[in-house]
Amino acid sequence: MTTIFVYKNNTTQQVLLLMRDDPPPPVRMERKPKSLLNDPNRRLSRKLPVSHVFVLSAYYYPESKSLGNNAIALNMAIDSVSKKLDKAVFTIVGSNSTNTTSSIAIPYLEKVDMCRYSTAVAITNTIENLEKLEIESDGMTVEIPFKHARNSAPKPVIFCMAPQTVGEQWQLFLIQMHLSRRYGAHTHVYLVSMLESYFDLIQEYEKQGYATIEPWLRMKVSASQSQFYEPNGNVELNNRAGAFTDCLLQYKEAAQYIAFIDIADFLFPVMKNSYLKEFHAEFKFHRSDSSIFYKGKGHELVKPDTLAEFSFSDAVDSLKTVTSSKNGIVVVKPHRWNSTGIYGSQYETKRNRITVRNNYVVQVQTPDKEANVTVRSDNSTMIKLRKKDFLAIEKDFLKIKNSSRVRGIARTLPMFDYYTLIIEDCYDEIAKYNSKENQGGEKKCPNSDFCELPQGNQYNCLHSDAEYLSGPAMEPFTFHTFNHTFWSREIGCYQ
């Protein structure tokens, strides 16, 4: 990636060099089953007798306009190499206080060729007043925890934010929160791990109704009799598609529009004064279409070190276009979608997507720490906010900033990016490896799970955790899931 944050002081390089003298990181203690394979050279070709499935979430819809009544949707990450899924079926068993019924669910796979595990959704209809959900295979069953899908949403537009791992870029979060609040969106934030002070700040925004925080979990196997490949390093971008699909299924019956974004994706409406009206206008002449696509443009951003220095107006004024991007964001009509990848669903036909011509999404790129970072004098971005919007957002921000709780948090927020730069280096190395000409081996799955992250003593992180559950040995699929999520301070600043 090219340049991109500009720091008000020039101490970043010296600080990073000092950090490299930290003591060695502690070992992340995770008991590894003996059945875990270490065979990286056949990661995309070796077929195993059993395909392991991680049920990330399951939703029950007592009433659904698009799925029918008493529908069930299972969001999964599945080993799509060991078994072909084009003819696979799952037997779903639903029970209430008086009856039990079985039904067949067909998995719909969002295949990623460079990764062993891919997102899949299985949908069926079951018994009314569902109390217990199980999957049956080979004469055995495994119980799957489920939640009721939402029947209302804080706003008609929901922004589903990609999972944050070792999150530290609080400046981007502030822009995202106040921008989405002004234009009528509610942000659903998936969180794997984050610096503790930043987590405290996010919690304040959740209390004020700007966002919903949800733990996003690593996939773990508590027990297995059959061999399997480690899932977290073999799923694209730390299972981002799984999080987006979870968000889609949660708000499927509650939201009018859902957008899938990264923390560094900023969308400024240009035609109307709200996202809802803007999206309505785009769909007005394309009523049969199911999604809108905003192309991305890379931007640099002057990023202050402290909350006291932060100004929304200054941040937006500093945005400068530096490059085009092949990626962007997708906005969907949720009743038309049942699953998604990172940039859309493989089940959507191209003719049902609108590509926006008169606007784009601002994508703040991560800095190249080897680059000589300077501010360009020409401001080539076309972002122009109405004066009343600037004033309203700034007033909204100052209300949060000047609260006694946030003033206390501000003193402990990180002043520079550290983990972000290490992780981006990992992604750059993977991209270089995958682009080599005449490479005979398999491509690497784009993922930061194998990045080595030093654990500095001054860093404390919150990490998502849960009670992990593995079903009995079943064929051709063995299932794993979790229950009772919580935040842990014992894991450290890891992915």
Side-chain angles (χ1 to χ4, degrees):
M1 292 188 178
T2 52
T3 134
I4 325 287
F5 289 133
V6 181
Y7 294 81
K8 284 190 174 177
N9 60 36
N10 292 316
T11 63
T12 307
Q13 294 299 317
Q14 292 114 336
V15 173
L16 286 172
L17 289 172
L18 288 172
M19 289 297 297
R20 288 172 183 155
D21 292 329
D22 286 340
V27 177
R28 178 168 47 181
M29 299 301 293
E30 291 182 5
R31 185 173 59 85
K32 296 181 179 180
K34 294 181 180 179
S35 50
L36 177 65
L37 280 171
N38 183 18
D39 185 13
N41 294 327
R42 293 192 291 165
R43 180 179 54 83
L44 297 178
S45 58
R46 182 174 177 178
K47 295 184 182 297
L48 302 175
V50 174
S51 179
H52 285 256
V53 181
F54 296 83
V55 182
L56 309 171
S57 52
Y59 289 98
Y60 173 55
Y61 305 79
E63 297 179 359
S64 172
K65 297 176 184 176
S66 57
L67 302 177
N69 293 343
N70 301 306
I72 281 289
L74 285 82
N75 176 28
M76 304 170 288
I78 187 167
D79 175 357
S80 57
V81 174
S82 294
K83 301 295 178 184
K84 290 186 177 181
L85 297 179
D86 52 351
K87 296 182 180 179
V89 295
F90 296 148
T91 301
I92 306 299
V93 180
S95 304
N96 59 23
S97 59
T98 57
N99 291 301
T100 297
T101 186
S102 296
S103 56
I104 298 299
I106 299 173
Y108 295 91
L109 184 71
E110 300 283 353
K111 175 70 173 172
V112 178
D113 291 334
M114 289 189 291
C115 302
R116 187 174 184 96
Y117 290 86
S118 297
T119 297
V121 172
I123 295 174
T124 189
N125 298 88
T126 187
I127 199 166
E128 64 181 1
N129 301 317
L130 181 69
E131 296 179 3
K132 185 178 182 180
L133 177 66
E134 297 171 289
I135 300 178
E136 181 182 17
S137 180
D138 199 26
M140 292 178 285
T141 61
V142 55
E143 184 173 356
I144 303 297
F146 69 93
K147 295 182 284 190
H148 280 68
R150 297 173 183 267
N151 54 25
S152 64
K155 300 284 185 180
V157 176
I158 298 296
F159 282 1
C160 302
M161 185 182 289
Q164 303 298 295
T165 56
V166 241
E168 60 188 357
Q169 295 181 310
W170 55 268
Q171 297 94 334
L172 301 185
F173 179 79
L174 292 181
I175 297 173
Q176 193 69 256
M177 288 299 96
H178 292 283
L179 188 64
S180 60
R181 173 77 160 235
R182 176 60 183 172
Y183 294 117
H186 182 82
T187 306
H188 196 97
V189 181
Y190 288 91
L191 177 56
V192 179
S193 58
M194 178 170 284
L195 270 64
E196 192 167 353
S197 58
Y198 183 11
F199 180 79
D200 292 340
L201 180 66
I202 284 185
Q203 280 193 311
E204 288 303 306
Y205 276 88
E206 183 179 42
K207 290 175 184 176
Q208 298 295 326
Y210 289 76
T212 297
I213 306 172
E214 177 150 349
W216 190 241
L217 294 159
R218 293 177 57 79
M219 295 176 281
K220 297 181 184 179
V221 173
S222 60
S224 177
Q225 296 180 20
S226 57
Q227 290 183 314
F228 67 97
Y229 278 85
E230 199 284 324
N232 298 287
N234 288 291
V235 65
E236 187 181 22
L237 297 182
N238 300 84
N239 204 11
R240 184 179 296 191
F244 284 169
T245 296
D246 177 85
C247 194
L248 170 69
L249 296 176
Q250 274 200 59
Y251 290 96
K252 184 174 177 59
E253 300 296 320
Q256 291 189 48
Y257 299 106
I258 293 176
F260 304 111
I261 67 167
D262 186 60
I263 191 172
D265 292 338
F266 303 141
L267 183 60
F268 299 81
V270 296
M271 292 189 299
K272 304 292 182 180
N273 62 0
S274 75
Y275 293 127
L276 182 63
K277 293 178 181 178
E278 184 103 340
F279 300 156
H280 277 337
E282 291 291 349
F283 279 113
K284 182 176 181 180
F285 300 106
H286 306 272
R287 297 187 183 278
S288 63
D289 290 334
S290 57
S291 72
I292 304 169
F293 180 73
Y294 287 88
K295 294 180 179 179
K297 284 191 178 181
H299 283 66
E300 64 182 21
L301 169 71
V302 176
K303 181 178 150 189
D305 297 331
T306 66
L307 187 62
E309 297 175 281
F310 186 89
S311 161
F312 183 89
S313 300
D314 289 347
V316 173
D317 284 343
S318 75
L319 286 169
K320 295 174 178 63
T321 305
V322 292
T323 181
S324 296
S325 171
K326 64 180 180 180
N327 299 323
I329 66 168
V330 179
V331 182
V332 307
K333 293 179 178 179
H335 67 277
R336 299 280 302 273
W337 286 53
N338 294 330
S339 65
T340 185
I342 295 176
Y343 303 110
S345 174
Q346 297 172 15
Y347 297 94
E348 182 189 40
T349 59
K350 290 183 178 180
R351 66 176 180 270
N352 287 335
R353 170 171 290 186
I354 306 165
T355 298
V356 177
R357 305 296 180 187
N358 64 342
N359 197 4
Y360 59 83
V361 60
V362 171
Q363 296 180 319
V364 178
Q365 298 177 345
T366 305
D368 178 355
K369 62 176 177 287
E370 302 298 329
N372 181 18
V373 182
T374 57
V375 181
R376 299 190 314 179
S377 59
D378 64 309
N379 191 334
S380 55
T381 185
M382 73 175 194
I383 298 302
K384 296 187 183 299
L385 282 182
R386 304 168 185 87
K387 183 178 180 180
K388 66 176 183 179
D389 291 337
F390 256 133
L391 294 174
I393 291 172
E394 199 69 56
K395 180 180 179 181
D396 189 43
F397 167 65
L398 289 174
K399 181 183 69 174
I400 297 285
K401 176 182 177 180
N402 294 329
S403 70
S404 59
R405 172 64 176 156
V406 171
R407 285 202 307 268
I409 294 170
R411 292 191 291 269
T412 60
L413 288 171
M415 296 178 65
F416 57 89
D417 292 339
Y418 178 50
Y419 292 113
T420 302
L421 305 184
I422 297 172
I423 288 173
E424 287 301 332
D425 274 353
C426 287
Y427 279 122
D428 288 344
E429 289 301 315
I430 292 172
K432 290 176 185 177
Y433 179 88
N434 288 342
S435 65
K436 289 180 182 178
E437 295 181 2
N438 303 317
Q439 179 184 309
E442 295 182 345
K443 291 185 180 296
K444 292 184 178 180
C445 181
N447 193 293
S448 68
D449 197 65
F450 298 112
C451 300
E452 294 186 7
L453 301 182
Q455 303 296 297
N457 291 333
Q458 65 269 53
Y459 288 112
N460 293 311
C461 283
L462 270 292
H463 203 293
S464 61
D465 206 352
E467 174 191 351
Y468 286 89
L469 310 169
S470 289
M474 301 161 70
E475 292 187 10
F477 300 101
T478 290
F479 296 90
H480 311 274
T481 187
F482 62 88
N483 207 356
H484 307 306
T485 59
F486 58 93
W487 300 112
S488 172
R489 289 179 170 83
E490 307 299 322
I491 297 175
C493 296
Y494 292 103
Q495 307 92 313

